[in-house]
């Protein structure tokens, strides 16, 4: 999925006092967002609701950084070259703005690869980009914070999930605590070390996905069962309304397919509600 810039570099950037940039280097995708808060930032003091953002620039490219890593345990030379080219494009965009704060993070592929740290050291030396490898727990927390404003008061509980290329994070949320600011909204969380890319690799590659589909479902269901039982999630879903909330490229791609979009359109996908039947 190619997500194109929504604004020409530098356009109306001078109108904003603060401009922020975030880069997410995942197992499958490299994404960059450059944005500025708009409106009264002081009106958004709680920890869950960020000020509304004006997107100044964005970039997304499928780099398949984790390709073949399940077998080798290392990032391949081809994957690193593809990723390096994407990061060169990101650096050019970053250089167009006077940025107040930048955070660049890497997730599962760099966490697991024996040469992940070495690759990021080379990126820092060659491109001047300091990319930090974050833990699966922080990845889950950031995923939740990124979409927490979409929690609805109609439900008491929510399952927030982030299906990436090399891992899947799930969070069991107490919405009443999340909205009130009391207690910990994330009552439990789970990181499964499989996402769309390495799960496909495990079952023979994307060419065998249809044949292996039922086996994939059983494999992942077994990984989720202890988490489900510990939190009585299936029981809670059956007895009351539980909101399902997701972020990242996998679910947004499903949303784009559902809408029949010829090109990705963030404005039509962010905040979209889909039924389980729609997803199936």
């Amino acid at each position: 999925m190619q997500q194109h810039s929504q604004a020409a570099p530098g356009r109306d950037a001078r109108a904003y006092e603060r401009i922020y940039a975030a880069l997410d280097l995942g197992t499958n995708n490299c994404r960059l967002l450059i944005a500025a808060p708009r409106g009264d930032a002081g009106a958004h003091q709680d920890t869950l609701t960020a000020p509304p953002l004006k997107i100044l620039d964005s970039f997304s490219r499928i780099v398949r950084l984790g390709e073949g890593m399940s077998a080798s345990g290392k990032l391949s030379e081809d994957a690193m070259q593809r990723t390096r080219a994407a990061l060169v494009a990101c650096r050019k965009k970053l250089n167009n703005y006077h940025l107040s704060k930048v955070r660049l993070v890497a997730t599962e592929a760099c966490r697991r690869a024996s040469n992940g740290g070495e690759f990021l050291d080379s990126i820092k030396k060659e491109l001047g980009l300091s990319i930090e490898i974050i833990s699966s727990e922080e990845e889950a927390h950031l995923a939740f914070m990124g979409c927490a404003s979409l929690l609805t008061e109609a439900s008491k509980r929510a399952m927030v999930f982030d299906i990436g290329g090399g891992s899947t994070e799930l969070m069991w949320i107490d919405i009443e605590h999340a909205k009130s600011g009391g207690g910990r909204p994330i009552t439990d969380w789970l990181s499964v070390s499989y996402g769309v890319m390495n799960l496909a690799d495990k079952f023979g590659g994307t060419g065998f996905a249809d044949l292996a589909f039922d086996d994939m479902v059983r494999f992942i269901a077994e990984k989720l069962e202890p988490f489900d039982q510990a939190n009585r999630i299936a029981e809670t879903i059956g007895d009351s309304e539980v909101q399902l909330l997701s972020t990242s490229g996998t679910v947004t791609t499903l949303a784009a397919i559902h809408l029949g979009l010829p090109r990705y359109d963030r404005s039509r996908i962010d905040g979209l509600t889909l039924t389980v039947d729609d997803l199936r």
Side-chain angles (χ1 to χ4, degrees):
M1 177 175 63
Q2 181 76 24
Q3 186 173 313
H4 298 280
S5 168
Q6 296 189 357
R11 182 190 295 177
D12 71 1
R14 293 180 182 176
Y16 300 95
E17 293 181 3
R18 292 162 296 148
I19 300 176
Y20 303 108
L23 183 142
D24 174 10
L25 178 58
T27 304
N28 193 47
N29 208 309
C30 175
R31 293 188 291 261
L32 170 71
L33 199 67
I34 300 173
R38 59 183 175 185
D40 182 8
H44 299 268
Q45 294 298 321
D46 64 273
T47 59
L48 294 177
T49 307
L53 296 175
K54 167 68 174 179
I55 307 302
L56 300 177
D57 216 340
S58 62
F59 174 88
S60 180
R61 181 178 296 173
I62 293 174
V63 295
R64 306 192 308 281
L65 178 59
E67 186 175 53
M69 200 185 76
S70 297
S72 68
K74 299 176 63 177
L75 304 176
S76 72
E77 193 58 41
D78 286 347
M80 289 189 289
Q81 289 297 336
R82 288 192 300 266
T83 303
R84 186 175 283 106
L87 291 171
V88 167
C90 290
R91 185 185 63 174
K92 289 179 180 178
K93 286 182 175 289
L94 290 167
N95 288 343
N96 286 324
Y97 299 89
H98 295 291
L99 298 166
S100 299
K101 192 170 184 179
V102 179
R103 192 172 190 203
L104 318 175
V105 304
T107 55
E108 186 70 8
C110 290
R111 275 198 298 262
R112 295 181 64 192
S114 60
N115 59 343
E118 180 183 343
F119 171 62
L120 295 183
D121 287 343
S122 71
I123 291 299
K124 182 176 182 179
K125 182 177 180 180
E126 296 170 23
L127 303 181
L129 298 178
S130 297
I131 304 175
E132 61 177 304
I133 300 174
I134 60 173
S135 68
S136 56
E137 183 173 9
E138 183 172 7
E139 183 179 358
H141 178 74
L142 291 173
F144 168 68
M145 294 298 292
C147 60
S149 61
L150 296 174
L151 292 172
T152 63
E153 295 182 359
S155 303
K156 292 184 178 180
R157 288 280 185 173
M159 173 63 74
V160 178
F161 55 98
D162 178 357
I163 306 170
S167 68
T168 298
E169 278 66 48
L170 301 99
M171 292 135 277
W172 186 230
I173 306 299
D174 185 324
I175 293 181
E176 290 179 323
H177 280 172
K179 290 294 184 181
S180 68
R184 294 183 58 190
I186 303 176
T187 58
D188 200 3
W189 70 282
L190 173 70
S191 181
V192 179
S193 57
Y194 285 93
V196 293
M197 175 171 285
N198 58 357
L199 182 64
D201 287 346
K202 179 176 177 61
F203 286 88
T206 55
F208 294 91
D210 288 343
L211 293 173
F213 180 78
D214 290 339
D215 291 334
M216 288 180 172
V217 171
R218 280 192 292 269
F219 178 77
I220 294 297
E222 289 175 2
K223 302 285 185 184
L224 302 182
E225 188 174 0
F227 183 66
D228 171 36
Q229 292 180 349
N231 295 285
R232 302 168 65 185
I233 295 171
E235 181 181 334
T236 305
I237 289 174
D239 291 343
S240 63
E241 195 169 315
V242 174
Q243 184 181 0
L244 303 178
L245 182 58
S246 187
T247 181
S248 86
T250 301
V251 73
T252 56
T253 299
L254 286 174
I257 293 169
H258 171 72
L259 294 175
L261 299 182
R263 297 179 66 175
Y264 187 86
D265 184 346
R266 180 199 310 277
S267 65
R268 294 187 61 187
I269 289 174
D270 283 357
L272 181 70
T273 298
L274 295 175
T275 67
V276 173
D277 286 341
D278 288 335
L279 291 171
R280 286 176 176 158

